[in-house]
Amino acid sequence: MHTTNTLLLTRKDVSGLLTIKECTGAVEDAFRLYAEGKTVAPKVIGIHSANGGFHIKAGLLNTGKTYFAAKANANFPGNGKAFGLPTIQGVIIVCDAENGQLLALMDSIEITILRTGAATAVAAKYLSVQDAKTVTICGCGNQGRISLKALMEVRSVKKVFAFDADKKQADDFARHITDELKIAAEPINTPEEGTVQSDIVVTCTPSKQPFLHSTHILPGTFIAAVGADSEEKQELYPELLAANKTVTDITAQCATIGELHHAISNGHMATDAVHAELGEIVCGKKTGRTSAQEIIVFDSTGTALQDVAAAAIVYEKALANNIGTGLNFSA
């Protein structure tokens, strides 16, 4: 029996229904299905505003049932200080892809943060050295925290270096990590103070200027470049991608809005220089890490397939546990 009610889910609802562990598993499956040609390519539209920007990401995925999801997100990095608002605000619509029924409307904040951290964890599982223990987090907001927690699902992290343009943010991050996760965490004044000692580096800042150079990176390092999700953003110098093994979430998307976009526009590399998409490595079509010395960059722009995978879990668990508010939009 089909219900005409659409399920409305708040940020608190979503947070209580989705764990980083199950999100990581779902995101890994989504990357695999895409590489195996079992789902269509997701789409993205971006529009800039004076103090930030908006994007819409849409995708379709069969997780046992076929779902369509479209996420409309606002990303305004200065919101916290200026207005006391979250950096990310938005909504995800979930539809039955077989008949078009609108199944759910849910807040996008938790899903965006968790699925992004999950992609970093999946990439680290396949691309970082097995005994990786030391991590540098550049960007100590919510995304930095979740990225670290996600990494701890796949690697035995023992030491964390925390960098943020806001020194207090880095100090608070390090203290929080030490208290909550019982890991040695140290705030640093420049990224390279940590990266020259790290096996894994995660960049999740709103930077529009590159700050991470090849000279800052040790052989064997895995770098998850997360911040560049629009053509204006950039965290890595193009030489870092061009000189090392580059893996993308989706190459066509990264060539438009990711770190790869800058490497191409500056003439440092072409799309055919990309080693693989992450899904190709997950499903075994391409090799991942082949030596303990190679530096590998993961260009993570964030895809709608990650959103669909995460939103499907939230919707199904909400339905099973009678969570959320029903609303008949057709009435």
Side-chain angles (χ1 to χ4, degrees), residues 126-127 245 275 286-294 296:
Y126 289 91
L127 302 175
K245 181 180 282 186
H275 171 69
K286 298 279 185 74
T287 58
R289 176 172 290 275
T290 55
S291 84
Q293 297 300 303
E294 64 184 342
I296 304 180

Side-chain angles (χ1 to χ4, degrees), residues 4 12-13 41 49 80 147 194-195 202 209 226 233 264-265 270 300 318:
T4 55
K12 184 178 179 181
D13 293 333
S49 184
S147 295
T195 58
V202 181
Q209 297 293 329
V226 176
K233 296 181 182 179
I264 292 171
S265 63
S300 178

Side-chain angles (χ1 to χ4, degrees), residues 12-78:
K12 184 178 179 181
D13 293 333
V14 174
S15 179
L17 290 166
L18 185 64
T19 68
I20 189 61
K21 184 173 183 177
E22 61 191 348
C23 188
T24 299
V27 165
E28 182 172 1
D29 288 341
F31 277 119
R32 179 185 294 109
L33 289 169
Y34 179 68
E36 291 174 344
K38 295 177 180 177
T39 190
V40 297
K43 304 294 184 182
V44 59
I45 298 172
I47 297 176
H48 299 296
S49 184
N51 299 311
F54 300 88
H55 64 246
I56 299 172
K57 291 182 175 178
L60 185 147
L61 193 66
N62 187 332
T63 63
K65 176 182 175 67
T66 307
Y67 292 101
F68 166 85
K71 180 176 73 176
N73 253 16
N75 191 318
F76 285 69

Side-chain angles (χ1 to χ4, degrees), residues 208-221:
K208 295 182 179 180
Q209 297 293 329
F211 58 83
L212 205 60
H213 195 274
S214 295
T215 56
H216 302 154
I217 303 298
L218 291 176
T221 301

Side-chain angles (χ1 to χ4, degrees), residues 127-138:
L127 302 175
S128 69
V129 293
Q130 290 287 326
D131 61 349
K133 293 180 175 63
T134 306
V135 177
T136 292
I137 301 290
C138 298

Side-chain angles (χ1 to χ4, degrees), residues 64-319:
K65 176 182 175 67
T66 307
Y67 292 101
F68 166 85
K71 180 176 73 176
N73 253 16
N75 191 318
F76 285 69
N79 264 3
K81 290 183 178 179
F83 306 107
L85 293 171
T87 295
I88 294 170
Q89 299 171 94
V91 66
I92 297 174
I93 70 166
V94 180
C95 298
D96 185 326
E98 294 182 3
N99 59 26
Q101 182 184 1
L102 179 59
L103 300 174
L105 285 173
M106 61 184 72
D107 184 86
S108 71
I109 297 176
E110 292 299 318
I111 283 180
T112 299
I113 295 169
L114 283 166
R115 64 77 150 149
T116 304
T120 294
V122 174
K125 174 181 174 180
Y126 289 91
L127 302 175
S128 69
V129 293
Q130 290 287 326
D131 61 349
K133 293 180 175 63
T134 306
V135 177
T136 292
I137 301 290
C138 298
C140 296
N142 288 330
Q143 191 62 66
R145 287 186 174 89
I146 291 299
S147 295
L148 179 58
K149 289 181 180 180
L151 285 172
M152 292 174 65
E153 294 290 332
V154 298
R155 291 294 181 263
S156 298
V157 180
K158 303 297 184 187
K159 174 73 175 180
V160 178
F161 294 101
F163 169 77
D164 197 280
D166 182 340
K167 183 63 165 59
K168 183 180 183 301
Q169 187 105 321
D171 291 341
D172 291 345
F173 179 93
R175 185 165 49 251
H176 172 81
I177 293 304
T178 300
D179 292 343
E180 181 187 359
L181 304 180
K182 311 305 178 188
I183 299 174
E186 178 184 332
I188 51 179
N189 295 311
T190 63
E192 56 266 33
E193 289 177 42
T195 58
V196 296
Q197 305 179 65
S198 294
D199 305 304
I200 296 174
V201 175
V202 181
T203 60
C204 45
T205 76
S207 179
K208 295 182 179 180
Q209 297 293 329
F211 58 83
L212 205 60
H213 195 274
S214 295
T215 56
H216 302 154
I217 303 298
L218 291 176
T221 301
F222 164 67
I223 304 163
V226 176
D229 59 359
S230 75
E231 64 271 25
E232 290 187 331
K233 296 181 182 179
Q234 184 180 11
E235 299 175 306
L236 312 187
Y237 282 94
E239 297 91 338
L240 189 50
L241 282 76
N244 298 292
K245 181 180 282 186
T246 295
V247 175
T248 62
D249 48 17
I250 293 182
T251 299
Q253 183 170 300
C254 291
T256 304
I257 62 175
E259 296 292 343
L260 179 62
H261 157 70
H262 297 288
I264 292 171
S265 63
N266 288 321
H268 285 84
M269 63 188 294
T271 54
D272 59 9
V274 172
H275 171 69
E277 293 184 335
L278 181 58
E280 293 178 305
I281 295 171
V282 171
C283 75
K285 286 185 176 181
K286 298 279 185 74
T287 58
R289 176 172 290 275
T290 55
S291 84
Q293 297 300 303
E294 64 184 342
I295 294 169
I296 304 180
V297 178
F298 175 50
D299 191 2
S300 178
T301 52
T303 79
L305 298 179
Q306 296 162 239
D307 296 315
V308 185
I313 293 173
V314 171
Y315 171 70
E316 290 177 357
K317 289 177 72 175
L319 212 57

